[in-house]
Amino acid sequence: MPSVIPSMSFDPAGIELDRRQGLTRQLYGALRQRVLDGRLVSGTRLPATRDLAAALSISRNSVVRAYDQLYAEGFIESRVGNGTYVSRLPTTKKLSTKLSTGLSTGLPTVLSTIGLHSAQNSPDEVIHSRGLDRVKHNHLAQPPCGVPRAFRVGVPAFDLFPFEVWAKLHGAFWRKPDLAQLCYGDPAGDERLRGLIAAYLRTARGMQCTTEQIVITSGAQQAISLCAQLLVEPGDGVAVENPGYRAAGHAFALAGGRLLGVPVDGDGIDCQVLNSLGDCRVAYVTPSHQYPLGVVMSLARRLELLAWAERTGGWIVEDDYDGEYRYTGAPLSPLAALDRNGRVLYVGTFGKVAFPALRLGYLVLPPGLVEAFARRRAVDMRHSEVSTQAVMAEFMAAGHFQRHVRRMRRAALSRRNALLAGWPEALQGVGPLPNVAAGLHVTVRVDSLAREQQLLEQARAVEVEINGLSSYWLPDSSAPPDQRAGLVLGFAAVPEAGIAQALARLRQAWRV
């Protein structure tokens, strides 16, 4: 026999309704809240709809609709021939208090009411300890936001991007979209865009790749993360340039890789050190323009690196983040163009030619890896946003992309020259500014870490953005701290006039 809950009466006094707003929603909310906070306990009998409407001086339809919503959500129930009652809800008082608190403190508090750990608990109760430890030590710092300033690193001259052309192409796509494109797409990306990327790389980079080898990603960072997820098992050694692109290292470390910092000299990553690593599975490199030192990997070193991959069965992740920017001659052939054994995974991005917010990159993969990478990416986000891919494909097909690359290369060269011409000479503790043959930034050495930090602080005081070279090294680097010091300056973010103004402020701040 089911237990019988004693019936209690409901007093509608205290329910105040604003007649300038929706009465149904207000009444529903008032009754719901009384159930949650315990003022209406389980088994309380509610008035008939006609009686409650008369008591509140509102239409019966408003009461009926409010009751219907409460029925649908399980707050009230109907007993045949016996009226409407508040449903039996477990620990109503406790539930309502925590739900009410959750409205102000967020989802974790609500989760705690249904038996899950909340943010009030220690994080290691929510995330398994090894994963939590990796997240704590391998996350991306928030990049500078807002309008670019001199000398922000990693930002192209996107003030020169043909936004009017882009807007017209974007509008044309949405005025008459292909309905097939609005359904779920290929996780590897838009086939037309992939074909155009392959054609561009064959012409501009000498890479003999096909449409089928391309996987579209949400920027270069996702491409690197995919490589980490699929190439690295927990405990595997991963060689990274040191100093180098720390965000790539974070991706490999989050996958459980052991980061093995390999020094960089004037020819690129030191392959003698790499060859001495006995348990290295992956090498991440930036051969076209090493990040952040700016050196270009020599042909001999490239061949040596490929020989390492062939001999050990290792993988090379080649990040060609700003390969379009070469100021003396054509861009160098990437490692992927020299690879004859399918050991190189090539990472490319449109962010350094268009603008960072585009979040559109790609991978060129050995044929045997394409299906696995596409499937793995589909688990995270199905596929990239369709219209951006379609518009970029049309942008390339109509010749706008190639023209824009040439324009951006000329602009970056001019802005580089403005920096070189105006840089203060004989700056105490600072080495000479090197000539820059490629890329969008330049690195200058500083004789001590203390001097680096002083110069950076003085630059910040006059609103000039400069990165410290010391921040690009792995924390456990064996190099003495003073040998890690330097200044990293991006020269493409602002026009020549802005560069001149920033240099004038730096001369004043640095008392040159």
Side-chain angles (χ1 to χ4, degrees), residues 140-325:
L140 301 187
Q142 177 65 33
C145 55
V147 178
R149 300 188 299 186
F151 294 95
R152 186 173 296 178
V153 177
V155 177
F158 64 79
D159 55 303
L160 301 179
F161 187 76
F163 291 105
E164 290 185 2
V165 172
W166 187 264
K168 288 180 181 178
L169 297 175
H170 198 268
F173 174 86
W174 285 113
R175 275 193 297 273
K176 194 175 181 180
D178 180 349
L179 296 183
Q181 290 183 293
L182 302 187
C183 203
Y184 289 112
D186 187 338
D190 180 90
E191 184 176 8
R192 185 183 185 213
L193 177 59
R194 293 160 62 204
L196 288 163
I197 291 172
Y200 170 72
L201 293 175
R202 287 194 295 268
T203 302
R205 295 289 194 279
M207 293 172 57
Q208 297 306 308
C209 58
T210 66
T211 301
E212 292 71 26
Q213 290 177 256
I214 310 291
V215 171
I216 304 297
T217 62
S218 296
Q221 188 62 36
Q222 187 189 48
I224 297 167
S225 292
L226 282 171
C227 293
Q229 293 162 13
L230 288 171
L231 300 182
V232 176
E233 291 287 341
D236 283 347
V238 179
V240 295
E241 298 166 325
N242 198 27
Y245 181 46
R246 292 294 305 281
H250 293 326
F252 288 109
L254 279 174
R258 292 181 300 104
L259 300 186
L260 306 171
V262 180
V264 177
D265 59 25
D267 288 324
I269 192 170
D270 190 331
C271 286
Q272 285 191 344
V273 173
L274 178 62
N275 286 324
S276 70
L277 303 176
D279 59 349
C280 184
R281 177 173 174 78
V282 177
Y284 168 84
V285 292
T286 53
S288 295
H289 183 235
Q290 200 276 333
Y291 190 85
L293 296 181
V295 300
V296 177
M297 187 181 293
S298 66
L299 176 60
R301 192 67 59 85
R302 292 173 189 237
L303 296 175
E304 193 175 355
L305 182 58
L306 289 168
W308 166 83
E310 182 181 1
R311 184 178 66 257
T312 65
W315 300 101
I316 300 170
V317 178
E318 177 181 16
D319 187 354
D320 196 16
Y321 65 100
D322 63 0
E324 281 81 12
Y325 298 95

Side-chain angles (χ1 to χ4, degrees), residues 101-135:
T101 306
L103 295 177
S104 59
T105 60
L107 178 62
T109 303
V110 178
L111 292 178
S112 69
T113 71
I114 57 175
L116 298 181
H117 293 293
S118 75
Q120 297 170 357
N121 302 112
S122 172
D124 58 10
E125 296 179 37
V126 184
I127 306 174
H128 57 85
S129 58
R130 290 183 181 178
L132 177 64
D133 186 65
R134 290 198 293 265
V135 171

Side-chain angles (χ1 to χ4, degrees), residues 274-401:
L274 178 62
N275 286 324
S276 70
L277 303 176
D279 59 349
C280 184
R281 177 173 174 78
V282 177
Y284 168 84
V285 292
T286 53
S288 295
H289 183 235
Q290 200 276 333
Y291 190 85
L293 296 181
V295 300
V296 177
M297 187 181 293
S298 66
L299 176 60
R301 192 67 59 85
R302 292 173 189 237
L303 296 175
E304 193 175 355
L305 182 58
L306 289 168
W308 166 83
E310 182 181 1
R311 184 178 66 257
T312 65
W315 300 101
I316 300 170
V317 178
E318 177 181 16
D319 187 354
D320 196 16
Y321 65 100
D322 63 0
E324 281 81 12
Y325 298 95
R326 176 89 180 159
Y327 307 118
T328 55
L332 300 181
S333 294
L335 286 164
L338 302 172
D339 180 23
R340 295 294 178 265
N341 297 286
R343 309 309 303 178
V344 177
L345 295 83
Y346 178 92
V347 177
T349 179
F350 290 101
K352 295 296 186 288
V353 173
F355 45 91
L358 188 65
R359 308 316 305 148
L360 192 63
Y362 54 89
L363 276 164
V364 184
L365 298 165
L369 299 184
V370 174
E371 184 177 0
F373 271 73
R375 286 181 173 180
R376 177 63 186 85
R377 184 170 185 269
V379 172
D380 286 341
M381 58 181 304
R382 293 285 188 182
H383 55 78
S384 291
E385 196 275 324
V386 170
S387 68
T388 301
Q389 296 182 78
V391 171
M392 179 56 77
E394 187 61 32
F395 190 73
M396 297 181 76
H400 301 298
F401 179 76

Side-chain angles (χ1 to χ4, degrees), residues 323-493:
E324 281 81 12
Y325 298 95
R326 176 89 180 159
Y327 307 118
T328 55
L332 300 181
S333 294
L335 286 164
L338 302 172
D339 180 23
R340 295 294 178 265
N341 297 286
R343 309 309 303 178
V344 177
L345 295 83
Y346 178 92
V347 177
T349 179
F350 290 101
K352 295 296 186 288
V353 173
F355 45 91
L358 188 65
R359 308 316 305 148
L360 192 63
Y362 54 89
L363 276 164
V364 184
L365 298 165
L369 299 184
V370 174
E371 184 177 0
F373 271 73
R375 286 181 173 180
R376 177 63 186 85
R377 184 170 185 269
V379 172
D380 286 341
M381 58 181 304
R382 293 285 188 182
H383 55 78
S384 291
E385 196 275 324
V386 170
S387 68
T388 301
Q389 296 182 78
V391 171
M392 179 56 77
E394 187 61 32
F395 190 73
M396 297 181 76
H400 301 298
F401 179 76
Q402 292 83 343
R403 286 192 292 273
H404 183 60
V405 167
R406 292 192 292 269
R407 184 184 186 191
M408 291 289 276
R409 190 179 296 131
R410 290 192 299 268
L413 176 60
S414 178
R415 296 178 183 191
R416 180 207 72 168
N417 291 342
L419 172 61
L420 295 178
W423 181 254
E425 296 181 1
L427 188 59
Q428 180 182 355
V430 178
L433 200 66
N435 190 29
V436 185
L440 298 173
H441 71 268
V442 60
T443 298
V444 57
R445 294 285 189 170
V446 177
D447 64 4
S448 71
L449 187 58
R451 180 59 171 154
E452 177 202 86
Q453 295 301 308
Q454 180 189 35
L455 293 168
L456 294 177
E457 183 178 352
Q458 292 169 338
R460 283 192 295 267
V462 294
E463 298 184 337
V464 175
E465 294 183 19
I466 299 176
N467 288 359
L469 179 60
S470 59
S471 65
Y472 293 88
W473 293 76
L474 293 177
D476 58 353
S477 298
S478 59
D482 286 345
Q483 291 185 16
R484 307 178 199 174
L487 305 176
V488 184
L489 303 98
F491 51 76

Side-chain angles (χ1 to χ4, degrees), residues 81-93:
N82 196 24
T84 301
Y85 293 81
V86 175
S87 300
R88 297 192 64 179
L89 301 175
T91 60
T92 307
K93 184 71 176 178

Side-chain angles (χ1 to χ4, degrees), residues 68-92:
D68 285 346
Q69 186 63 34
L70 292 166
Y71 277 126
E73 295 183 7
F75 285 96
I76 62 177
E77 61 189 19
S78 177
R79 299 180 187 176
V80 178
N82 196 24
T84 301
Y85 293 81
V86 175
S87 300
R88 297 192 64 179
L89 301 175
T91 60
T92 307

